[in-house]
Amino acid sequence: MGRLIPIGALLAFAVIASGCASPDGTPTSESTTTTISNVGGDVEPVQRPSEVYPHDRGDVRGTLVRETNGCWTIDTGAGPLVVVFPIGTSVDHATGVVTTADGFALANGETVEGVGGLTAVNDLPGAPDGFWSNYLGFCDPVALQVLVVDEFTPIDSGEAMTDEELVALLTDATLAVSWPCGLGFTLSDEDQGVAIYVYPSAAEPPTVTPVVLPDPGWEGSVVLGTNLLVNHCDDVVEPHEPVRVETAVWPIIGGTIDFEAPSELCGAAGPIEATLRGLVVAGPLGSMTLPDLDVVNTAYGCFAG
């Protein structure tokens, strides 16, 4: 799937839920639509066929969360967003199970993927006095937006990859994409499914090069997964961005990092090129030695890009 379509500028205020129910469950005089008591615990936050939920459709991937107040959210990597489920979804508040229109039973903490997008709360049907305003008034009164999902399923309901398959994934990977920033070097394949990280672990890393691993001032690892570099050196993670998923992490226990260290670590050092020679990875089936790899950090320095 591709990345979720970016949403335009969001409004800088939340809708106030003015149509709340009275303690006995009856609507107040301010409400223009039907309201109910305990909206977080006894209703289904599902799209109504007769309603329109303005949003740009794109790929959605995240963790389904049943909050302590009984409301449902999806965390796409930058914090939970109240979710509006697709038409045909059923929510069992007693068991904490969400069942999709296709019959998939999803529980709290399950990773899901599908199609949907963000909707500003004031664009929800009936706002500010309708059902959704009341629902958000209970679930998240300060929410600026909700995640409207049009279709979704659990991710990879099959068996996990075996150790042999993971090793083959690393062995067959073409590691040719360099990533900038930080005091170290990052290399991945084109699909961001395999990545190599070598970086100083000391507060003031030594400037003597080449670095021969193991070295007390440096660490390294090989990571396998999905979207591994999606937020590499990104200070702001947007709710619509894909989720970084780690399947396996293996330490680098040997090899050489051959580069010329800059004289000022936190200055504008510019691009620093390195050759990773004979890195030894402690994999699940024994150690593996990687071929020599060239990498460049175009923004070598102390801070994120």
Side-chain angles (χ1 to χ4, degrees):
M1 290 189 176
R3 297 187 64 173
L4 186 70
I5 301 170
I7 308 300
L10 296 173
L11 298 178
F13 58 89
V15 170
I16 299 175
S18 60
C20 296
S22 62
D24 63 0
T26 59
T28 66
S29 59
E30 299 176 2
S31 176
T32 58
T33 57
T34 302
T35 60
I36 62 176
S37 62
N38 191 23
V39 292
D42 58 7
V43 301
E44 295 187 341
V46 178
Q47 293 187 48
R48 275 67 168 167
S50 60
E51 295 180 338
V52 177
Y53 306 82
H55 62 281
D56 293 328
R57 288 169 58 93
D59 294 337
V60 172
R61 178 178 176 136
T63 303
L64 186 64
V65 178
R66 188 190 190 194
E67 304 293 346
T68 56
N69 58 7
C71 300
W72 290 90
T73 63
I74 289 182
D75 190 341
T76 61
L81 289 164
V82 174
V83 62
V84 179
F85 289 116
I87 294 173
T89 305
S90 63
V91 180
D92 190 326
H93 293 283
T95 61
V97 173
V98 173
T99 304
T100 70
D102 296 327
F104 290 105
L106 307 174
N108 177 51
E110 191 149 3
T111 303
V112 297
E113 65 181 356
V115 177
L118 302 177
T119 295
V121 295
N122 70 308
D123 289 338
L124 290 169
D129 297 326
F131 164 80
W132 292 107
S133 181
N134 286 322
Y135 183 71
L136 285 171
F138 178 89
C139 294
D140 189 354
V142 299
L144 297 178
Q145 56 194 348
V146 298
L147 184 60
V148 176
V149 180
D150 301 311
E151 57 185 74
F152 70 151
T153 59
I155 289 179
D156 189 15
S157 56
E159 296 182 358
M161 294 182 68
T162 65
D163 289 341
E164 289 78 6
E165 290 172 329
L166 290 171
V167 169
L169 191 63
L170 172 60
T171 303
D172 297 338
T174 300
L175 299 167
V177 181
S178 296
W179 296 83
C181 97
L183 294 174
F185 301 94
T186 303
L187 194 65
S188 79
D189 65 345
E190 188 70 31
D191 295 332
Q192 300 183 30
V194 180
I196 291 177
Y197 302 88
V198 288
Y199 52 92
S201 56
E204 295 184 5
T207 57
V208 176
T209 58
V211 175
V212 179
L213 301 174
D215 183 292
W218 284 77
E219 294 182 12
S221 62
V222 169
V223 181
L224 296 90
T226 305
N227 298 319
L228 294 178
L229 284 305
V230 66
N231 288 309
H232 179 71
C233 286
D234 189 352
D235 295 327
V236 180
V237 180
E238 301 295 340
H240 61 267
E241 291 183 308
V243 177
R244 183 181 192 272
V245 178
E246 292 184 358
T247 301
V249 180
W250 301 332
I252 294 173
I253 58 176
T256 301
I257 309 169
D258 193 355
F259 72 106
E260 184 176 347
S263 57
E264 296 183 11
L265 290 179
C266 291
I272 301 294
E273 298 180 358
T275 300
L276 311 179
R277 303 186 186 279
L279 296 184
V280 180
V281 183
L285 303 179
S287 61
M288 298 173 285
T289 301
L290 302 182
D292 292 353
L293 299 165
D294 293 323
V295 59
V296 57
N297 184 340
T298 57
Y300 196 96
C302 294
F303 306 103

